[in-house]
Amino acid sequence: MRTTINIQDSLLDAVRCEAAEKHCSIGATINDALRQVFAAQTKKSVRQKTRLPVFKGNGVQSGVDLDSSVNLLDRMDGL
């Protein structure tokens, strides 16, 4: 696909040098660079398992209402 983009002069010079060293076109060099960037992002976005802490005990203390955030905050503050 043909498109028009604006590239900083210094980046274009670097792409031209890279293309000349590899004996390929500027378009092919830019395509390769974009593929590498997107491949690296895909690897980073793979989720790793999250370990949640587990606490031993007999559940919620008596009188604690888990549906009331005010009650929970008071309990945590020791009120």
Side-chain angles (χ1 to χ4, degrees):
M1 172 188 268
R2 182 176 282 279
T3 189
T4 302
I5 58 173
N6 292 323
I7 300 176
Q8 292 176 353
D9 290 339
S10 59
L11 288 175
L12 184 56
D13 291 341
V15 170
R16 284 182 178 140
C17 290
E18 183 76 15
E21 287 176 14
K22 291 184 176 181
H23 303 288
C24 63
S25 69
I26 292 173
T29 304
I30 291 172
N31 283 332
D32 289 344
L34 288 173
R35 277 190 204 93
Q36 288 176 4
V37 168
F38 291 130
Q41 287 178 353
T42 302
K43 289 178 185 176
K44 289 180 185 177
S45 67
V46 173
R47 285 185 146 189
Q48 295 188 8
K49 291 183 180 179
T50 302
R51 295 184 58 99
L52 297 175
V54 178
F55 300 94
K56 295 182 181 188
N58 296 325
V60 180
Q61 296 177 356
S62 62
V64 175
D65 180 8
L66 295 178
D67 292 326
S68 170
S69 60
V70 173
N71 180 280
L72 291 172
L73 290 171
D74 287 346
R75 286 258 186 192
M76 288 189 293
D77 289 338
L79 299 176

